[in-house]
Amino acid sequence: MLQSMRDNLKGTAAVIVAAFFGFIMVIGGIDFFTGASGGSADKVAEVNGEKISNLDLQRAIQNRRSMIESQYGDSVPAELLTDEQLRAPVLQQLVNTSVMRQAAQDSGMVMSTEIVDRDIAQMAGFQVNGKFDAQMYRDGLRRMGYSHSGFRQLLEQDMVMQQYAGSVADSAFTTRTAAEQVVAVSMEERDFDYVTLPVAPLLSDVSVADDEVQSYYDANQQAFQRAEQVAVNYIELTPELFAANIDVSEQDIRSQYEQEAKNFAAEARRHAAHILIENGASDEGKAKVSEVQAKLAAGEDFAELAKQFSDDVVSREEGGDVGFTSGDVFPESFEEALSALNVGEVSGPVETDSGIHFIKLLEVADAEPPTFEERKAAITARLRNAEAEREFVEAMSRLADLAYNAESLSGPAEELGVEVKQSPLFSRTGGAGITGDSKVIAAAFSPEVLEDGMASEVLNLNENHVVVLKLAEHKPAGVKPLDEVRQEIVDRLKRDKASEQLAAQAEEIQSKLTNGEAFSDVASAEELTLETSDNTRRGGFGARGQIVSHVFGLEVPKPGAKVVEHFALQNGDQVVVQLRGVRAGKLSGQSAEQREAMMQQLASMQGASELAAVQKYLSSKADIEMAEAK
């Protein structure tokens, strides 16, 4: 379309290119896929004589870490992203990939040059306006540090592996009998009734002795384990922290406004519409231009002609409306033609890089400078933020020196005019606020902070948020003291005792039902609410989910009979349930679309299973040597 939109598309495409490279390099870099790994001196594994270097491994670890952070953000515990945690699974994936790639090569699978080139040409990241752009392709490879041949080789290796995996997975199938068996279980329905005996009303009358609490504590030490925890003192710097203390004078605001007003040029904003004919220089394009020009000369409606003839798919449905311009939105020739029109007039053919345009001026709006009162709040905020940004940068540059070897953070905080904050205790899985940030967690549990008592380096949580921290408290991993968990134990013992009392009542109800009494009569006599659940399938949450799960674990009743049982929920409530009927799911009861989806899903699961089996077999036959971790 227009040049400005074309530039925006290039920016978006660059992001897509980066995302694509990130995907195909999750397992390893170009060197690994092309067999150009480092020498044996730094190898971490060898597969059938092909070495995997430490560089390959480090690249893959970093790629895996970036992928996890991109997908899950700060919710991932910092210890799960360490090299130690990622090394083993990533190295195993490198080995598996090597095995699969070698098997693909040994099977004679290749990818033709034409197919690889076609795949490259169809990648969205290398296209502009739906067409492959050679400059975009060259720029993308240069940013990522690849040559054309190197990238093609990487892509070919990836495509061959996908082809090999597909030859295994896509050949899998499932039978109707297997699908019927799956549906019989997954779509099974059960009919049942139940009552719930609540434990809460009994708790206030239940007492627990100190020796009972001690005995339970002694017998369940494993349940009261506490992870290692720390609390930190920290200095936190943000521009907003400084902005709150900055006063902007009326004189400075007015001076800035006067400067704005002086620089403000009252420009006419023109509202334009256009009809775009791409490839206007071709014979077909020239014919189309002539046809549109003739219809405009005949007085036909511009908006309708735009809908019929314009190649601008974005604006044509709006009658060619492309919005307002102050003279700097559209290409120069477009702007010149537009500025020469009166409202309602249509230009002759105007050529730009996008094609031939017919331009209509819809309206003109005069832009007048805003008043001082209209601009005061915005100018005040801008001046305050600019000063706050300056103070933030200055404080950030001083923070590292002030905190280095400081006995405490109170001195640096006073020097910078900020306060020292203290976090609650948190473990390696993180806590609330800044203690949930992986950088803060890693620093807090680092040897320098945890063992040596030093202040951390300046942590850039984002471009406008930095933190320095120092250990305030450390609690090693171990068993929580009894006083800390006493109430928890008391509540648990009370609940268990009350639930045991209810179990006797539930047993009595079960006995009455087994002897043939109607469930409704028994529930009424016990002043309990009878719940009926027909056509129930597996699943659910909370207490309801626990009840459904238990019901689906009961034996199928014989024809004309019922199965009665009582059990306790996790909260101590007792439930008495009566199972009346069970019906297996039927594949024939599903719609044609559901049956097809079921068969495809089962085939996909079977394919994944077979692919895993092939990979396991290939690995068992391969000569794999793992170097010891250093």
Side-chain angles (χ1 to χ4, degrees), residues 150-173:
F151 176 69
R152 286 190 72 266
Q153 191 172 11
L154 168 64
L155 183 60
E156 181 182 359
Q157 295 285 359
D158 184 66
M159 293 173 71
V160 168
M161 279 197 297
Q162 292 293 334
Q163 184 182 52
Y164 181 79
S167 69
V168 177
D170 295 345
S171 64
F173 65 93

Side-chain angles (χ1 to χ4, degrees), residues 277-292 309 311:
I277 311 298
E278 293 182 344
N279 302 318
S282 66
D283 291 341
E284 182 181 353
K286 290 177 180 178
K288 192 174 180 180
V289 168
S290 297
E291 183 179 0
V292 171
F309 290 99
D311 291 325

Side-chain angles (χ1 to χ4, degrees), residues 202-395:
L202 280 65
L203 295 176
S204 60
D205 298 327
V206 177
S207 60
V208 176
D210 288 344
D211 61 336
E212 292 179 287
V213 174
Q214 184 68 55
S215 296
Y216 188 90
Y217 177 75
D218 293 340
N220 294 275
Q221 295 279 292
Q222 197 60 36
F224 304 117
Q225 294 293 319
R226 176 177 56 208
E228 181 182 21
Q229 293 179 306
V230 297
V232 295
N233 294 322
Y234 63 96
I235 294 174
E236 183 176 31
L237 298 182
T238 65
E240 292 76 17
L241 185 68
F242 295 98
N245 299 318
I246 294 175
D247 292 325
V248 180
S249 69
E250 182 84 5
Q251 180 179 351
D252 289 341
I253 300 170
R254 188 166 292 279
S255 176
Q256 184 65 33
Y257 170 76
E258 291 173 354
Q259 185 63 42
E260 281 188 7
K262 188 182 297 182
N263 295 334
F264 187 91
E267 297 177 344
R269 294 188 304 119
R270 291 178 171 81
H271 189 179
H274 79 147
I275 299 171
L276 171 64
I277 311 298
E278 293 182 344
N279 302 318
S282 66
D283 291 341
E284 182 181 353
K286 290 177 180 178
K288 192 174 180 180
V289 168
S290 297
E291 183 179 0
V292 171
Q293 192 166 17
K295 289 181 179 292
L296 287 170
E300 294 194 26
D301 184 68
F302 185 92
E304 291 302 319
L305 291 175
K307 293 178 181 179
Q308 182 180 356
F309 290 99
S310 182
D311 291 325
D312 182 354
V313 296
V314 176
S315 71
R316 68 186 179 197
E317 295 305 317
E318 304 297 327
D321 191 335
V322 290
F324 282 90
T325 175
S326 296
D328 55 1
V329 174
F330 307 120
E332 184 177 353
S333 57
F334 189 107
E335 294 283 2
E336 288 178 356
L338 180 63
S339 65
L341 298 174
N342 293 317
V343 175
E345 287 184 344
V346 178
S347 72
V350 177
E351 185 175 358
T352 73
D353 290 342
S354 302
I356 303 297
H357 307 257
F358 291 96
I359 305 167
K360 182 176 183 179
L361 178 61
L362 301 178
E363 62 176 306
V364 178
D366 292 327
E368 295 295 335
T371 66
F372 175 73
E373 292 303 323
E374 290 173 335
R375 290 291 300 152
K376 183 176 181 179
I379 293 174
T380 301
R382 189 171 75 243
L383 293 176
R384 179 180 289 117
N385 291 339
E387 178 62 20
E389 185 71 27
R390 186 192 66 75
E391 291 189 13
F392 167 71
V393 172
E394 181 181 332

